[in-house]
Coordinates of all heavy atoms in Angstrom, one line a residue:
E1 N 0.8 -1.1 0.0 CA 0.0 0.0 -0.1 C 0.8 1.2 0.0 O 1.8 1.4 0.8 CB -0.9 0.0 1.2 CG -1.8 1.2 1.2 CD -2.9 1.1 2.3 OE1 -3.4 0.0 2.7 OE2 -3.1 2.2 2.9
F2 N 0.5 2.2 -0.9 CA 1.4 3.3 -1.0 C 0.6 4.5 -0.2 O -0.5 4.9 -0.6 CB 1.4 3.7 -2.6 CG 2.5 4.6 -2.8 CD1 3.9 4.3 -2.5 CD2 2.3 5.5 -3.6 CE1 4.9 5.0 -2.9 CE2 3.4 6.4 -4.0 CZ 4.7 6.1 -3.6
S3 N 1.2 4.9 0.8 CA 0.5 5.8 1.7 C 0.9 7.2 1.8 O 0.6 8.0 2.7 CB 0.6 5.2 3.2 OG 0.2 3.9 3.3
L4 N 1.7 7.7 0.8 CA 2.1 9.0 0.7 C 1.0 10.0 0.2 O 0.2 9.5 -0.5 CB 3.4 9.2 -0.3 CG 4.8 8.7 0.4 CD1 5.7 8.8 -0.8 CD2 5.2 9.4 1.5
P5 N 1.0 11.1 0.7 CA 0.1 12.2 0.0 C 0.3 12.1 -1.5 O 1.4 12.1 -1.9 CB 0.5 13.5 0.7 CG 1.2 13.1 2.0 CD 1.8 11.7 1.7
G6 N -0.7 12.2 -2.2 CA -0.6 12.2 -3.7 C -0.4 10.8 -4.3 O 0.0 10.7 -5.4
S7 N -0.6 9.8 -3.4 CA -0.2 8.4 -4.0 C -1.0 8.1 -5.3 O -0.4 7.4 -6.1 CB -0.6 7.4 -2.9 OG -1.9 7.4 -2.6
E8 N -2.0 8.7 -5.5 CA -2.8 8.4 -6.7 C -2.0 9.0 -8.0 O -2.0 8.4 -9.0 CB -4.2 8.9 -6.6 CG -4.3 10.5 -6.6 CD -4.1 11.2 -5.3 OE1 -3.8 10.5 -4.4 OE2 -4.1 12.4 -5.3
L9 N -1.3 10.1 -7.8 CA -0.6 10.7 -8.9 C 0.5 9.8 -9.2 O 0.8 9.6 -10.3 CB 0.0 12.0 -8.4 CG -1.1 13.1 -8.1 CD1 -0.5 14.4 -7.5 CD2 -1.9 13.5 -9.3
Y10 N 1.3 9.3 -8.2 CA 2.3 8.3 -8.4 C 1.9 7.0 -9.1 O 2.5 6.6 -10.2 CB 3.0 8.0 -7.2 CG 3.8 9.0 -6.5 CD1 3.1 9.5 -5.2 CD2 5.0 9.6 -6.8 CE1 3.8 10.7 -4.6 CE2 5.6 10.6 -6.1 CZ 5.0 11.1 -5.1 OH 5.6 12.2 -4.3
M11 N 0.8 6.4 -8.7 CA 0.3 5.2 -9.2 C -0.3 5.4 -10.6 O -0.1 4.5 -11.4 CB -0.7 4.6 -8.2 CG -0.1 4.3 -6.7 SD 1.4 3.2 -6.9 CE 0.8 1.6 -7.6
D12 N -1.0 6.5 -10.8 CA -1.5 6.7 -12.2 C -0.3 6.8 -13.2 O -0.5 6.3 -14.3 CB -2.3 8.1 -12.1 CG -3.6 7.9 -11.5 OD1 -4.2 6.8 -11.2 OD2 -4.3 9.0 -11.3
A13 N 0.7 7.5 -12.8 CA 1.8 7.7 -13.8 C 2.4 6.3 -14.0 O 2.7 5.9 -15.1 CB 2.9 8.6 -13.3
L14 N 2.6 5.6 -12.9 CA 3.2 4.2 -13.0 C 2.4 3.3 -14.0 O 3.0 2.6 -14.9 CB 3.4 3.6 -11.7 CG 4.1 2.1 -11.6 CD1 5.5 2.2 -12.2 CD2 4.1 1.6 -10.1
S15 N 1.1 3.3 -13.7 CA 0.2 2.5 -14.6 C 0.2 2.9 -16.0 O 0.3 2.1 -16.8 CB -1.3 2.6 -14.0 OG -1.4 2.0 -12.8
L16 N 0.3 4.2 -16.3 CA 0.2 4.7 -17.6 C 1.6 4.3 -18.3 O 1.5 3.7 -19.5 CB 0.3 6.2 -17.6 CG 0.5 6.9 -19.0 CD1 -0.7 6.6 -20.0 CD2 0.6 8.5 -18.8
Y17 N 2.7 4.4 -17.6 CA 3.9 4.1 -18.4 C 4.3 2.6 -18.4 O 5.0 2.1 -19.4 CB 5.1 4.9 -17.8 CG 4.9 6.3 -18.2 CD1 4.5 7.2 -17.2 CD2 5.1 6.7 -19.5 CE1 4.3 8.6 -17.6 CE2 4.9 8.1 -19.8 CZ 4.5 9.0 -18.8 OH 4.2 10.2 -19.3
I18 N 3.7 1.8 -17.6 CA 3.7 0.4 -17.7 C 2.9 0.0 -18.9 O 3.5 -0.9 -19.7 CB 3.2 -0.4 -16.5 CG1 4.1 -0.3 -15.3 CG2 2.9 -1.9 -16.7 CD1 3.6 -0.8 -14.0
H19 N 1.7 0.6 -19.1 CA 0.9 0.3 -20.2 C 1.6 0.6 -21.5 O 1.6 -0.1 -22.5 CB -0.4 1.0 -20.1 CG -1.3 0.9 -21.4 ND1 -2.1 -0.2 -21.6 CD2 -1.5 1.7 -22.4 CE1 -2.7 -0.1 -22.8 NE2 -2.3 1.1 -23.2
K20 N 2.3 1.8 -21.5 CA 3.0 2.2 -22.8 C 4.0 1.3 -23.0 O 4.4 1.0 -24.2 CB 3.5 3.7 -22.6 CG 2.3 4.6 -22.7 CD 2.9 6.1 -22.5 CE 1.7 6.9 -22.7 NZ 1.9 8.1 -23.7
A21 N 4.8 0.8 -22.1 CA 5.8 -0.2 -22.3 C 5.4 -1.6 -22.8 O 5.9 -2.0 -23.8 CB 6.7 -0.4 -21.1
L22 N 4.3 -2.0 -22.2 CA 3.7 -3.3 -22.7 C 3.1 -3.2 -24.0 O 3.1 -4.3 -24.9 CB 2.6 -3.7 -21.7 CG 3.2 -4.1 -20.2 CD1 2.0 -4.4 -19.3 CD2 3.9 -5.3 -20.4
T23 N 2.6 -2.1 -24.4 CA 2.0 -1.9 -25.8 C 3.0 -1.7 -26.8 O 2.6 -1.6 -28.1 CB 0.7 -1.0 -25.8 OG1 1.4 0.2 -25.5 CG2 -0.3 -1.3 -24.9
G24 N 4.2 -1.3 -26.5 CA 5.3 -1.1 -27.4 C 5.2 0.4 -27.9 O 6.1 0.8 -28.7
E25 N 4.4 1.2 -27.2 CA 4.5 2.6 -27.5 C 5.7 3.4 -27.1 O 6.2 4.3 -27.7 CB 3.3 3.3 -26.9 CG 3.0 4.7 -27.2 CD 1.8 5.3 -26.5 OE1 0.9 4.7 -26.1 OE2 1.7 6.6 -26.4
M26 N 6.5 2.8 -26.0 CA 7.6 3.2 -25.6 C 8.4 1.9 -25.1 O 8.0 0.9 -25.0 CB 7.6 4.1 -24.2 CG 6.8 5.3 -24.4 SD 6.7 6.1 -22.7 CE 7.0 7.7 -23.1
T27 N 9.8 2.2 -25.2 CA 10.6 1.0 -24.8 C 10.5 1.1 -23.1 O 10.1 2.1 -22.6 CB 12.2 1.3 -25.1 OG1 12.6 2.5 -24.3 CG2 12.3 1.5 -26.5
S28 N 10.9 0.1 -22.5 CA 10.8 0.0 -21.0 C 11.7 1.1 -20.4 O 11.2 1.7 -19.5 CB 11.4 -1.4 -20.6 OG 10.5 -2.5 -21.0
K29 N 12.9 1.3 -21.0 CA 13.8 2.4 -20.4 C 13.0 3.7 -20.6 O 13.0 4.6 -19.7 CB 15.1 2.5 -21.1 CG 15.9 3.5 -20.6 CD 17.3 3.5 -20.8 CE 18.3 4.5 -20.5 NZ 17.8 5.4 -19.5
E30 N 12.5 4.1 -21.8 CA 11.7 5.3 -22.0 C 10.7 5.5 -21.0 O 10.4 6.6 -20.4 CB 11.2 5.5 -23.4 CG 12.3 5.6 -24.4 CD 11.7 5.5 -25.8 OE1 10.7 4.7 -26.1 OE2 12.3 5.9 -26.8
A31 N 9.8 4.4 -20.8 CA 8.7 4.5 -19.8 C 9.2 4.8 -18.5 O 8.6 5.6 -17.8 CB 7.9 3.2 -20.1
L32 N 10.2 4.1 -18.1 CA 10.7 4.2 -16.7 C 11.3 5.6 -16.6 O 11.1 6.2 -15.5 CB 11.8 3.1 -16.2 CG 11.3 1.7 -16.1 CD1 12.4 0.8 -16.0 CD2 10.4 1.7 -14.9
D33 N 12.0 6.1 -17.5 CA 12.5 7.4 -17.3 C 11.4 8.5 -17.3 O 11.5 9.4 -16.6 CB 13.4 7.7 -18.6 CG 14.8 6.9 -18.5 OD1 15.1 6.5 -17.4 OD2 15.4 6.9 -19.6
Q34 N 10.4 8.4 -18.1 CA 9.2 9.3 -18.2 C 8.5 9.3 -16.8 O 8.1 10.2 -16.2 CB 8.4 9.1 -19.3 CG 7.4 10.1 -19.5 CD 7.9 11.6 -19.7 OE1 9.0 11.6 -20.3 NE2 7.3 12.5 -19.1
C35 N 8.3 8.0 -16.3 CA 7.7 7.8 -15.0 C 8.5 8.5 -13.9 O 7.9 9.2 -13.1 CB 7.4 6.4 -14.8 SG 6.4 6.1 -13.3
A36 N 9.8 8.4 -13.9 CA 10.6 8.9 -12.9 C 10.6 10.4 -13.0 O 10.6 11.2 -11.9 CB 12.1 8.5 -13.1
K37 N 10.6 11.0 -14.2 CA 10.4 12.5 -14.4 C 9.1 12.9 -13.8 O 9.1 13.9 -13.1 CB 10.4 12.8 -15.8 CG 10.3 14.3 -16.2 CD 10.5 14.5 -17.6 CE 10.3 16.0 -17.9 NZ 10.0 16.3 -19.4
E38 N 8.0 12.2 -14.0 CA 6.7 12.7 -13.5 C 6.8 12.5 -11.9 O 6.0 13.4 -11.3 CB 5.6 11.9 -14.1 CG 5.3 12.4 -15.5 CD 4.0 11.9 -16.0 OE1 3.0 11.7 -15.2 OE2 3.8 11.7 -17.2
W39 N 7.3 11.4 -11.4 CA 7.4 11.3 -10.0 C 8.2 12.5 -9.3 O 7.8 13.0 -8.3 CB 8.0 10.0 -9.6 CG 7.0 8.8 -9.7 CD1 5.9 8.7 -10.4 CD2 7.1 7.6 -9.0 NE1 5.4 7.6 -10.4 CE2 6.1 6.8 -9.3 CE3 8.0 7.1 -8.0 CZ2 5.9 5.6 -8.8 CZ3 7.9 5.8 -7.5 CH2 6.8 5.1 -8.0
D40 N 9.3 12.8 -10.1 CA 10.1 14.0 -9.5 C 9.2 15.3 -9.5 O 9.4 16.1 -8.6 CB 11.4 14.1 -10.3 CG 12.5 13.2 -9.9 OD1 12.4 12.6 -8.9 OD2 13.4 13.0 -10.9
E41 N 8.6 15.5 -10.6 CA 7.6 16.6 -10.7 C 6.6 16.6 -9.6 O 6.3 17.7 -8.9 CB 7.0 16.7 -11.9 CG 7.9 17.0 -13.1 CD 7.3 16.9 -14.5 OE1 6.1 16.6 -14.7 OE2 8.1 17.1 -15.6
T42 N 6.0 15.4 -9.3 CA 5.0 15.4 -8.2 C 5.7 15.6 -6.8 O 5.1 16.4 -6.0 CB 4.4 13.9 -8.2 OG1 3.7 13.7 -9.4 CG2 3.5 13.8 -7.0
N43 N 6.9 15.2 -6.7 CA 7.6 15.4 -5.4 C 7.8 17.0 -5.3 O 7.8 17.4 -4.1 CB 9.0 14.8 -5.4 CG 8.8 13.3 -5.1 OD1 7.9 12.8 -4.4 ND2 9.7 12.5 -5.6
E44 N 8.3 17.6 -6.3 CA 8.4 19.0 -6.3 C 7.1 19.8 -5.9 O 7.0 20.7 -5.0 CB 9.0 19.6 -7.6 CG 10.4 19.1 -7.8 CD 11.3 19.5 -6.7 OE1 11.3 20.5 -6.2 OE2 12.3 18.7 -6.3
V45 N 6.1 19.4 -6.5 CA 4.8 20.0 -6.4 C 4.3 19.8 -4.8 O 3.8 20.7 -4.2 CB 3.7 19.6 -7.3 CG1 2.2 20.1 -6.9 CG2 4.0 20.1 -8.7
L46 N 4.4 18.6 -4.4 CA 3.9 18.3 -3.0 C 4.9 18.6 -1.9 O 4.6 18.6 -0.9 CB 3.5 16.9 -3.0 CG 2.4 16.3 -3.9 CD1 2.2 14.8 -3.9 CD2 1.2 17.1 -3.4
G47 N 6.1 18.9 -2.3 CA 7.2 19.3 -1.3 C 8.1 18.0 -1.0 O 7.6 17.1 -0.3
R48 N 9.2 18.0 -1.6 CA 10.2 16.8 -1.5 C 10.4 16.5 0.0 O 10.4 15.4 0.5 CB 11.4 17.0 -2.2 CG 12.3 15.9 -2.3 CD 13.5 16.2 -3.3 NE 13.1 16.4 -4.6 CZ 12.8 15.5 -5.6 NH1 12.8 14.2 -5.2 NH2 12.4 15.9 -6.7
D49 N 10.6 17.6 0.8 CA 11.0 17.3 2.2 C 9.8 16.9 3.0 O 9.9 16.2 4.0 CB 11.6 18.8 2.9 CG 12.9 19.1 2.3 OD1 13.6 18.2 1.9 OD2 13.3 20.3 2.3
A50 N 8.6 17.4 2.6 CA 7.3 17.0 3.3 C 7.1 15.5 3.0 O 6.8 14.7 3.8 CB 6.2 17.8 2.8
Q51 N 7.4 15.1 1.7 CA 7.3 13.7 1.4 C 8.2 12.7 2.2 O 7.8 11.7 2.6 CB 7.3 13.5 -0.1 CG 6.3 14.2 -1.0 CD 5.0 13.5 -0.8 OE1 4.2 13.8 0.2 NE2 4.5 12.7 -1.8
K52 N 9.3 13.2 2.2 CA 10.4 12.5 3.0 C 10.0 12.4 4.4 O 10.2 11.2 5.0 CB 11.8 13.1 3.0 CG 12.5 13.0 1.5 CD 13.9 13.7 1.7 CE 14.6 13.5 0.3 NZ 15.8 14.3 0.4
A53 N 9.5 13.3 5.1 CA 9.1 13.3 6.5 C 8.0 12.4 6.7 O 7.9 11.6 7.6 CB 8.8 14.7 6.9
V54 N 6.9 12.3 5.8 CA 5.8 11.4 5.9 C 6.3 10.0 5.7 O 6.0 9.1 6.6 CB 4.8 11.7 4.8 CG1 3.8 10.6 4.7 CG2 4.1 13.0 5.0
W55 N 7.2 9.7 4.7 CA 7.8 8.5 4.6 C 8.6 7.9 5.8 O 8.4 6.9 6.2 CB 8.7 8.4 3.3 CG 9.2 7.0 3.0 CD1 10.5 6.6 3.2 CD2 8.5 6.0 2.5 NE1 10.6 5.2 2.8 CE2 9.4 4.8 2.4 CE3 7.1 5.8 2.1 CZ2 8.9 3.7 2.0 CZ3 6.8 4.5 1.7 CH2 7.6 3.4 1.6
Q56 N 9.4 8.8 6.3 CA 10.1 8.5 7.6 C 9.2 8.1 8.7 O 9.4 7.2 9.6 CB 11.1 9.6 7.9 CG 12.3 9.6 6.9 CD 13.3 10.9 7.1 OE1 12.8 11.8 7.7 NE2 14.3 10.9 6.5
G57 N 8.2 8.9 8.9 CA 7.2 8.6 9.9 C 6.5 7.3 9.7 O 6.2 6.6 10.7
L58 N 6.2 6.9 8.5 CA 5.6 5.6 8.1 C 6.6 4.5 8.5 O 6.1 3.4 9.1 CB 5.3 5.5 6.7 CG 4.1 6.3 6.2 CD1 4.0 6.3 4.7 CD2 2.8 5.8 6.8
L59 N 7.9 4.7 8.2 CA 8.8 3.6 8.5 C 8.9 3.4 10.0 O 8.9 2.2 10.4 CB 10.3 4.1 7.9 CG 10.4 4.0 6.5 CD1 11.8 4.5 6.0 CD2 10.1 2.6 5.9
V60 N 8.9 4.4 10.7 CA 8.9 4.4 12.3 C 7.7 3.5 12.7 O 7.8 2.7 13.5 CB 9.1 5.7 13.0 CG1 8.8 5.6 14.5 CG2 10.3 6.4 12.6
S61 N 6.5 3.9 12.2 CA 5.3 3.2 12.6 C 5.4 1.8 12.3 O 4.9 0.9 13.1 CB 4.1 3.9 11.9 OG 4.0 5.2 12.4
W62 N 5.8 1.4 11.0 CA 5.9 0.1 10.6 C 6.9 -0.6 11.4 O 6.5 -2.0 11.8 CB 6.1 0.0 9.2 CG 5.1 0.6 8.2 CD1 3.7 0.7 8.5 CD2 5.4 1.1 7.0 NE1 3.2 1.3 7.5 CE2 4.1 1.5 6.4 CE3 6.5 1.1 6.1 CZ2 3.9 2.1 5.2 CZ3 6.2 1.7 4.8 CH2 5.1 2.2 4.4
K63 N 8.0 -0.1 11.7 CA 9.0 -0.8 12.8 C 8.3 -1.0 14.0 O 8.5 -2.2 14.5 CB 10.3 0.0 12.9 CG 11.1 -0.1 11.6 CD 12.3 0.8 11.8 CE 13.2 0.8 10.5 NZ 14.4 1.6 10.5
K64 N 7.6 -0.1 14.7 CA 7.0 -0.3 15.9 C 6.0 -1.3 15.9 O 5.7 -2.2 16.8 CB 6.3 1.0 16.4 CG 7.3 2.1 16.9 CD 6.6 3.2 17.4 CE 7.5 4.3 17.8 NZ 6.7 5.6 18.2
L65 N 5.3 -1.6 14.9 CA 4.2 -2.6 14.6 C 4.8 -4.0 14.2 O 4.1 -4.9 14.2 CB 3.2 -2.3 13.5 CG 2.4 -1.0 13.9 CD1 1.6 -0.6 12.7 CD2 1.3 -1.3 15.1
G66 N 6.1 -4.0 14.1 CA 6.8 -5.2 13.6 C 6.6 -5.7 12.1 O 6.9 -6.7 11.9
L67 N 6.2 -4.7 11.3 CA 5.8 -5.0 9.9 C 7.2 -5.0 9.2 O 7.2 -5.6 8.1 CB 5.0 -3.9 9.4 CG 3.6 -4.0 10.0 CD1 2.7 -2.9 9.4 CD2 2.9 -5.3 9.9
I68 N 8.2 -4.2 9.5 CA 9.5 -4.3 9.0 C 10.7 -4.3 10.0 O 10.3 -4.0 11.2 CB 9.8 -3.0 8.0 CG1 9.7 -1.8 8.9 CG2 8.6 -3.0 7.0 CD1 10.1 -0.4 8.0
E69 N 11.7 -4.6 9.7 CA 12.9 -4.6 10.6 C 13.7 -3.5 10.5 O 13.7 -2.8 9.6 CB 13.8 -5.9 10.4 CG 13.0 -7.2 10.7 CD 13.9 -8.4 10.4 OE1 15.2 -8.2 10.3 OE2 13.5 -9.5 10.3

C-alpha cells in the first residue's frame, strides 16, 4: 500500500507508463525514465522534504508494529 500524500498521482503515472511499455508505444527504459520524471515533478509540487518526512514517519510506525525490521 502506497500511503504518501498524492499516492494516486504516483500510481497513475506508473500504470500509464507500464501500459505504454507493454503496448510497445515506448521502450521499457523510456517508460521508466518518463515515469521517474513525473514522480520527480510530483515530489516538487507536493514538497520533497514533506514527502520524505511522511515516509520516515511511516517507517517508524511500521517498525513499531513489527511490519519491517
Side-chain angles (χ1 to χ4, degrees):
E1 183 175 321
F2 202 50
S3 302
L4 286 175
S7 62
E8 69 282 355
L9 299 172
Y10 296 106
M11 297 309 293
D12 286 349
L14 182 60
S15 294
L16 172 66
Y17 291 106
I18 287 173
H19 175 77
K20 288 183 180 227
L22 290 174
T23 61
E25 189 175 334
M26 296 179 137
T27 67
S28 296
K29 180 168 180 9
E30 290 169 337
L32 286 173
D33 288 347
Q34 188 60 36
C35 186
K37 181 181 174 189
E38 286 197 26
W39 281 25
D40 281 339
E41 290 169 1
T42 299
N43 284 332
E44 291 303 318
V45 168
L46 297 175
R48 189 173 299 275
D49 290 338
Q51 292 294 77
K52 284 181 185 179
V54 170
W55 184 252
Q56 289 169 345
L58 287 169
L59 290 176
V60 168
S61 297
W62 295 336
K63 284 179 183 179
K64 285 181 182 178
L65 293 170
L67 299 174
I68 60 172
E69 293 182 16

